[in-house]
Amino acid sequence: MKVLVSIISLIAFLLVALSGPLYKYGVVELGTAFAGFKFGVYTGIAALVLFALQVILKRKTITIGSAVIAVVFSAIAIIVPISMMSKAKDVPPIHDISTDLVNPPSFVAIAPLRADAPNPVEYAGIEATEQQREAYPELKTLTYSQSQPMLVKATEQAINNLGWELVNTDADTGIIEATDTTAWFGFKDDVVVRVTDNGSERLVDIRSKSRVGGSDLGKNAARIHALMDELDVVLNK
């Protein structure tokens, strides 16, 4: 039974751990990858049940190594998907976040790159706006005293510091576009920053949008916060 428990717990772990890379490199479709999550949870639970039976019926066959494998691998297979589902319940099911909800920055150079993406390049609309206002009221247009060219350069530097791919910069219009690729699943989420003059101050708006998925699990809002923080770091050097 010791070997059986170890094998099942390892399978549970691999179902969850490999779902992202297999999708990222085009081996499986997204639906199949998410199915791996579901079956990983079931398999992890089965492994823990078998381990409990082993403890009750064949305690002498248990070793520290086999116990660690069974508990750790099964726990990871169960906790990771459940934590993601819990996160999905805590955030609105939207994937398009902007600091300007009335006139969000538009994707220009990135638009052709999203031509085949399930989520269209256009702004998500009034429903997403209302949900964002409730979930992320702190995300608003930023104001700076620095010049537009300085802010454009600082934004480029912040994007590079965060490890995103800088797609295009239009200094004349103050538009900077970039793509952030997530490590595990390889999801590509796009970011556009708009720097505009407003008398004695400059306005900076940031928009982040996922190419796939109905809910972003709060990732786009977190990405905007990360860029805001990194921009402040760059400007204050």
Side-chain angles (χ1 to χ4, degrees):
M1 180 176 281
K2 177 177 71 174
V3 175
L4 179 61
V5 171
S6 297
I7 290 175
I8 292 178
S9 61
L10 178 60
I11 290 173
F13 171 78
L14 292 176
L15 281 170
V16 173
L18 294 180
S19 293
L22 289 176
Y23 169 76
K24 181 177 181 178
Y25 295 108
V27 179
V28 300
E29 298 294 328
L30 186 57
T32 303
F34 285 155
F37 268 29
K38 179 175 69 175
F39 289 114
V41 172
Y42 295 155
T43 308
I45 293 173
L48 290 180
V49 170
L50 287 174
F51 179 68
L53 291 175
Q54 183 185 4
V55 171
I56 295 171
L57 303 176
K58 296 186 176 183
R59 182 173 299 179
K60 292 182 179 180
T61 65
I62 298 175
T63 62
I64 294 177
S66 65
V68 169
I69 290 175
V71 174
V72 173
F73 282 3
S74 298
I76 291 174
I78 295 169
I79 293 172
V80 171
I82 289 179
S83 65
M84 292 178 67
M85 288 187 288
S86 176
K87 179 65 174 177
K89 293 179 180 180
D90 293 337
V91 298
I94 55 178
H95 54 261
D96 194 349
I97 305 296
S98 174
T99 57
D100 186 343
L101 299 175
V102 177
N103 181 32
S106 298
F107 293 106
V108 182
I110 280 178
L113 303 179
R114 298 181 61 103
D116 298 326
N119 294 334
V121 71
E122 293 79 17
Y123 182 61
I126 186 65
E127 184 176 352
T129 296
E130 293 173 348
Q131 293 184 75
Q132 181 187 320
R133 280 201 179 103
E134 182 176 351
Y136 313 113
E138 76 283 0
L139 292 180
K140 298 179 181 179
T141 299
L142 305 171
T143 59
Y144 293 94
S145 60
Q146 289 87 345
S147 67
Q148 186 185 61
M150 182 180 294
L151 287 168
V152 168
K153 287 294 183 183
T155 300
E156 288 181 322
Q157 184 61 56
I159 287 171
N160 288 328
N161 292 350
L162 291 169
W164 304 348
E165 177 189 357
L166 183 63
V167 176
N168 187 60
T169 298
D170 187 335
D172 293 334
T173 60
I175 296 293
I176 308 99
E177 297 174 87
T179 297
D180 179 22
T181 303
T182 63
W184 190 9
F185 273 81
F187 291 132
K188 290 185 178 296
D189 298 339
D190 298 309
V191 177
V192 55
V193 181
R194 182 181 63 205
V195 183
T196 55
D197 278 315
N198 184 39
S200 61
E201 61 185 8
R202 255 54 58 195
L203 306 181
V204 174
D205 282 296
I206 308 170
R207 179 184 172 197
S208 181
K209 180 167 186 171
S210 305
R211 294 190 188 182
V212 300
S215 173
D216 63 7
L217 304 183
K219 184 64 177 178
N220 286 300
R223 184 177 293 110
I224 291 176
H225 278 297
L227 183 53
M228 287 177 173
D229 293 341
E230 190 61 33
L231 182 57
D232 286 341
V233 169
V234 172
L235 290 172
N236 290 324
K237 281 185 176 180

